[in-house]
Amino acid sequence: MLRTQDVFLRQFQRIVTVMLCSNHLKISAFLLLAAVSHAQEAAPINPAKMDKTGMLPPFTKVLGERAAAAFGKQDWPAARKAYLEMLELDDGNALIWANLGAVEQQAGDTKQAIECFEKSVQINPQLAQTWTALGLLLQKQGDTYRAISCFTRAIHEEPEDARAHNYLAIAAKGLGWTDAAEAELQRAIELKPDYGIAHFNMALMLLERRPPAIELARRHYEKALTLGVAKDDVVERRLKE
């Protein structure tokens, strides 16, 4: 089973929250989008990237700061309240819906989180990280085909997002599409050579070949360890066979 690494950074005028990082077999933990506040002193956002990330309305500055603070404290009811108030001011803002989805996901309401993410990409289908967020939750529910569709769309919007390639590999592996999974992991490693989880997942894929590619798997596994991935007893036994 492949591992997933869940770290997402939402950077607009500044990053105010860094989400959880988890290393688990299969997909068992899901982060999502960090809350965002406004900062007058921040550098301007690259207009070319704006369509891919979105932006909170400037007139929601106070609510945005309140939401960000609540998110940082893991006070999900307060964060939800702030984002709902923001939606009363602008219910057509894709980033507000995405951040509300992140709150619902963290609060454990997967169904509501999916609805929020779906609303977000309906408003702005170019939000690559929201597509990834939606795909992760659909994968968690076992809706692998829709998850693959979401990860593919995320890659279409951000072709160099190594994490989306890793997630797509996991979903493809779940359907038995091993060649596709291996290709996506290879692409993730090409894009981000220090992506330890992708190296670990590649090691697993290589061990599942018939016959297994032991030495190549060992290289990827050892690389993963040097990049901070925890040792895995099952993999180490397989490498010694």
Side-chain angles (χ1 to χ4, degrees):
M1 293 180 288
L2 303 187
R3 287 189 179 185
T4 181
Q5 180 183 52
D6 294 330
V7 181
F8 283 72
L9 302 180
R10 298 295 292 174
Q11 181 173 1
F12 299 96
Q13 291 178 312
R14 65 173 173 166
I15 298 172
V16 297
T17 307
V18 178
M19 296 302 299
L20 302 177
C21 172
S22 59
N23 299 329
H24 296 278
L25 288 178
K26 222 170 180 179
I27 297 180
S28 58
F30 301 86
L31 66 77
L32 256 314
L33 309 176
V36 179
S37 71
H38 302 269
Q40 297 295 330
E41 73 280 5
I45 304 170
N46 182 351
K49 298 292 289 183
M50 187 65 68
D51 289 341
K52 306 297 184 183
T53 60
M55 184 176 183
L56 296 178
F59 53 83
T60 63
K61 176 179 182 294
V62 174
L63 285 172
E65 291 174 347
R66 186 189 307 168
F71 200 103
K73 295 175 183 177
Q74 299 185 12
D75 185 347
W76 311 129
R80 178 187 297 112
K81 182 175 185 295
Y83 282 123
L84 288 173
E85 289 182 26
M86 293 170 75
L87 286 174
E88 291 178 2
L89 298 173
D90 183 0
D91 66 356
N93 184 278
L95 185 55
I96 297 175
W97 282 105
N99 283 338
L100 179 59
V103 171
E104 299 297 356
Q105 182 272 320
Q106 290 294 319
D109 192 338
T110 299
K111 181 176 181 293
Q112 190 63 37
I114 288 174
E115 290 179 2
C116 289
F117 290 139
E118 288 177 335
K119 180 68 173 179
S120 176
V121 294
Q122 285 172 6
I123 295 170
N124 184 355
Q126 292 183 288
L127 298 183
Q129 291 195 43
T130 307
W131 281 112
T132 300
L134 179 57
L136 286 169
L137 291 181
L138 292 171
Q139 179 75 356
K140 181 182 180 183
Q141 288 196 323
D143 196 345
T144 305
Y145 287 104
R146 284 185 67 202
I148 285 176
S149 177
C150 290
F151 296 140
T152 301
R153 181 55 185 262
I155 291 169
H156 171 76
E157 298 298 340
E158 286 287 352
E160 296 187 0
D161 185 348
R163 288 170 303 203
H165 286 281
N166 180 61
Y167 299 139
L168 180 55
I170 293 168
K173 175 63 168 58
L175 292 178
W177 301 348
T178 55
D179 289 346
E182 214 172 290
E184 290 301 323
L185 287 173
Q186 185 59 47
R187 183 59 179 149
I189 292 168
E190 289 172 356
L191 290 168
K192 188 174 173 58
D194 62 348
Y195 193 176
I197 297 298
H199 282 284
F200 180 92
N201 286 343
M202 181 62 83
L204 292 181
M205 294 295 302
L206 294 168
L207 287 172
E208 290 188 11
R209 282 185 183 178
R210 291 293 177 268
I214 298 293
E215 288 309 313
L216 189 54
R218 190 190 314 279
R219 292 178 204 169
H220 282 285
Y221 178 67
E222 290 177 351
K223 179 68 172 179
L225 294 184
T226 64
L227 293 168
V229 178
K231 289 185 177 181
D232 186 277
D233 291 341
V234 174
V235 173
E236 298 211 349
R237 283 199 303 271
R238 293 286 305 278
L239 291 173
K240 292 176 182 178
E241 291 176 355

